[in-house]
Amino acid sequence: MKTLVVDHPLVAHKLTALRDERTDSPTFRRLADELVTLLAYEATRDVRVTDVTVTTPVAPADGVRLARPAPLVVPILRAGLGMLDGMARLLPTAEVGFLGMVRDEGTLKAQTYATRLPEDLSGRQCFVLDPMLATGGTLAAAIRLLFERGAEDVTAICLLAAPEGLAYLESVFTDSAAPVRVVTAALDERLNELGYIVPGLGDAGDRLYGVV
């Protein structure tokens, strides 16, 4: 498994504003959208392309287009929805699937309550959107499901990650034949006793959409 912590002043600037408890939900949504686009730029460096030739107003030119089958973007509901527009802006031809997963606050284990994905993902590159990589249970379950359906490789895009979550993913996918990558804006200090990232930014879903 590979992990990329994106070191860029614009990423750090937007993340700092997201962390601030005074940032309201509309501003939080806008900043998350912008930050995801920056992270997606790094996350798609290995997206598959095919060579093509086009004709400019002056002469033929060699270039590339995204290969088929199209990449699949999978936001994990509900907080992952707040990252979808930022990803789609950079990768508009990608297809979108959805995974509804919730963490049991007692056991900290992920439970799936909704799945809207193709049954056959053979040959597909998948990008999972999950704001917080905390314990790693939810993300590991999502990645495992994509591999079970034939995904060729999976890249997770997270606003924040905790060392415990990365270590858990490493343990789960250490012998995986298919590549797993994590792209994040920051690697924080630790998890607290409730399984929240410290210093973190709070509950991403609540800060995006309000407490429901």
Side-chain angles (χ1 to χ4, degrees), residues 172-184:
V172 171
F173 298 108
T174 185
D175 295 324
S176 173
V180 176
R181 291 179 291 272
V182 174
V183 177
T184 184

Side-chain angles (χ1 to χ4, degrees), residues 1 20 25 46 68 87 108 129 145-146 169 190 201:
M1 191 185 88
D20 193 333
S25 287
D46 293 327
R68 303 292 299 180
M87 186 71 182
L108 300 183
L129 309 180
L145 176 59
L146 295 173
L169 287 184
R190 58 183 173 86
L201 49 76

Side-chain angles (χ1 to χ4, degrees), residues 76-106:
I76 297 180
L77 306 179
R78 70 178 167 135
L81 281 178
M83 303 171 68
L84 180 56
D85 286 348
M87 186 71 182
R89 182 177 300 111
L90 196 69
L91 207 61
T93 58
E95 296 177 356
V96 180
F98 296 93
L99 267 178
M101 307 186 83
V102 63
R103 185 176 71 170
D104 185 301
E105 296 304 330

Side-chain angles (χ1 to χ4, degrees), residues 32-85:
D33 179 80
E34 294 170 355
L35 179 53
V36 170
T37 300
L38 294 174
L39 296 178
Y41 179 80
E42 296 295 340
T44 54
R45 283 190 177 274
D46 293 327
V47 70
R48 289 197 309 270
V49 295
T50 56
D51 295 329
V52 297
T53 300
V54 298
T55 302
T56 79
V58 179
D62 295 329
V64 298
R65 287 200 178 110
L66 292 183
R68 303 292 299 180
L72 181 71
V73 176
V74 184
I76 297 180
L77 306 179
R78 70 178 167 135
L81 281 178
M83 303 171 68
L84 180 56
D85 286 348

Side-chain angles (χ1 to χ4, degrees), residues 158-196:
C158 306
L159 303 182
L160 286 179
E164 294 91 334
L166 286 175
Y168 180 72
L169 287 184
E170 287 273 9
S171 69
V172 171
F173 298 108
T174 185
D175 295 324
S176 173
V180 176
R181 291 179 291 272
V182 174
V183 177
T184 184
L187 178 60
D188 273 11
E189 296 173 11
R190 58 183 173 86
L191 297 180
N192 65 15
E193 63 279 1
L194 299 177
Y196 283 88

